[in-house]
Amino acid sequence: MFKSISRTQAIFFLILTAILWSFGGLLIKIVSWNPIAIAGMRSAIASIFILIYLRRPRLNWSRNQILGALFYAATVILFVYATKKTTAANAILLQYSAPIYVALLGHRILGEKTSRLDWIIIFTVIGGMMLFFFDQFQIGNVLGNIVAILSGVTFALLTIYLRSQKDASPLESVLMGNILTALIAIPFMLTSAPGKGSWLGLILLGLFQIGLAYILYSIAIKYVTALEGSLIPIIEPILNPIWVFLALGEKPSKWALIGGSIIIVAMILRYLLPALMNKQQKTFQQNQKIPVNPSGK
């Protein structure tokens, strides 16, 4: 387990998390089963993986730990339901309105203020997301869109309550949330069996797309603000169609390329570039230190 990491490493972990999350769409395509059953089995496999990683989970049943688990389960289930009731573009675009809710609630719950620059980045990124899904977004499917918005709220609250455990171990909330999701999905898993060849996709979803991803996320969230924890992973929906294009040949639209470029540039300017510059500055300062002469002369 990681005892301590730097802020730069935390940002890198969030990027890795987004990369792992982004394989969800492609992997789910190869699984033939009920969507809720897929979510449940994915969480069941992830629970075992996280439990092995933790060895001895610290379940203190605190308010923040329980709320983190509940909002995790709600996020996973609501997003799957939204994806079923509306378009995939609507579901992921509305869920990734989460940074707005984090910015509004983070100060009240965590005492983390949102700067003017942060608000500019938030709306720039949301604008890029709207362009990204410009030719896919549909006004209809009201129920699915409402559920997708709710999944954005629960994802924001999940981020906030994981961040609230920065002095503890937020991964226990994820473990509890995965177990709860698996238990809720049992009726759906018992009504049918996954299609032939689906188990590889389910195992990859559980081990990497959820299990390893949330281990990295739970480590990173202790060293970044809640807003950063919801904003940086927003590159996930950009990467998703890239994997689909490479695997299935589905080309992203012109608007998707423009919107994705705006989001990536905004992330680089706000987080990656300053982090790299700070690292280079520290390295330069260390190299400029004059060594002490042992003889004292």
Side-chain angles (χ1 to χ4, degrees):
M1 297 177 67
F2 296 88
K3 292 183 178 180
S4 179
I5 63 173
S6 67
R7 172 180 163 78
T8 302
Q9 290 172 317
I11 292 174
F12 179 64
F13 277 20
L14 288 176
I15 294 172
L16 287 180
T17 298
I19 293 172
L20 290 169
W21 281 348
S22 70
F23 283 101
L26 181 60
L27 291 173
I28 288 173
K29 282 180 179 290
I30 69 175
V31 178
S32 176
W33 206 11
N34 180 287
I36 304 295
I38 293 173
M41 183 57 69
R42 179 181 66 171
S43 286
I45 295 170
S47 299
I48 297 171
F49 183 70
I50 293 171
L51 188 59
I52 292 171
Y53 173 81
L54 285 172
R55 296 183 183 179
R56 295 181 180 179
R58 291 179 286 175
L59 301 178
N60 54 32
W61 303 102
S62 67
R63 176 176 175 272
N64 289 347
Q65 191 175 79
I66 293 172
L67 286 174
L70 291 175
F71 286 127
Y72 177 93
T75 299
V76 174
I77 293 171
L78 288 173
F79 182 72
V80 171
Y81 186 84
T83 303
K84 188 175 181 180
K85 293 295 182 180
T86 187
T87 65
N90 287 24
I92 200 162
L93 175 59
L94 294 172
Q95 186 188 53
Y96 270 103
S97 59
I100 297 175
Y101 311 128
V102 172
L104 294 172
L105 298 173
H107 178 56
R108 176 173 295 183
I109 299 175
L110 298 173
E112 295 180 352
K113 295 182 179 180
T114 303
S115 68
R116 183 178 299 176
L117 177 60
D118 286 329
W119 279 112
I120 292 172
I121 295 295
I122 288 171
F123 286 109
T124 300
V125 168
I126 296 298
M129 285 279 287
M130 293 179 71
L131 286 175
F132 189 82
F133 293 111
F134 179 76
D135 54 354
Q136 301 177 50
F137 189 81
Q138 296 179 13
I139 302 299
N141 307 314
V142 176
L143 177 60
N145 291 341
I146 292 173
V147 174
I149 292 171
L150 289 176
S151 75
V153 175
T154 58
F155 180 49
L157 289 167
L158 165 64
T159 302
I160 287 171
Y161 282 103
L162 290 184
R163 170 64 180 164
S164 71
Q165 300 175 70
K166 61 182 182 295
D167 297 323
S169 178
L171 189 55
E172 273 76 1
S173 285
V174 175
L175 173 64
M176 293 165 64
N178 274 308
I179 293 172
L180 179 59
T181 302
L183 291 174
I184 292 172
I186 285 176
F188 298 91
M189 291 189 283
L190 293 178
T191 55
S192 62
K196 187 177 180 180
S198 295
W199 277 106
L200 176 61
L202 288 168
I203 292 170
L204 292 174
L205 283 166
L207 293 181
F208 299 104
Q209 197 260 337
I210 289 293
L212 180 58
Y214 269 102
I215 288 174
L216 294 172
Y217 189 80
S218 298
I219 295 169
I221 199 66
K222 299 172 70 173
Y223 302 94
V224 297
T225 65
L227 180 59
E228 290 167 335
S230 66
L231 200 53
I232 295 173
I234 213 167
I235 62 174
E236 175 204 348
I238 302 172
L239 296 172
N240 197 310
I242 293 175
W243 310 139
V244 174
F245 168 67
L246 293 175
L248 305 176
E250 295 180 8
K251 294 183 179 180
S253 69
K254 176 184 70 176
W255 292 111
L257 294 173
I258 295 173
S261 299
I262 290 173
I263 294 171
I264 291 173
V265 169
M267 292 294 99
I268 290 173
L269 292 177
R270 181 62 182 90
Y271 297 112
L272 297 184
L273 195 58
L276 292 173
M277 290 178 65
N278 287 337
K279 187 175 181 179
Q280 289 178 349
Q281 185 177 10
K282 288 181 180 179
T283 303
F284 176 77
Q285 290 174 347
Q286 290 173 354
N287 292 336
Q288 291 300 308
K289 287 183 178 179
I290 301 174
V292 178
N293 192 326
S295 65
K297 295 181 181 179

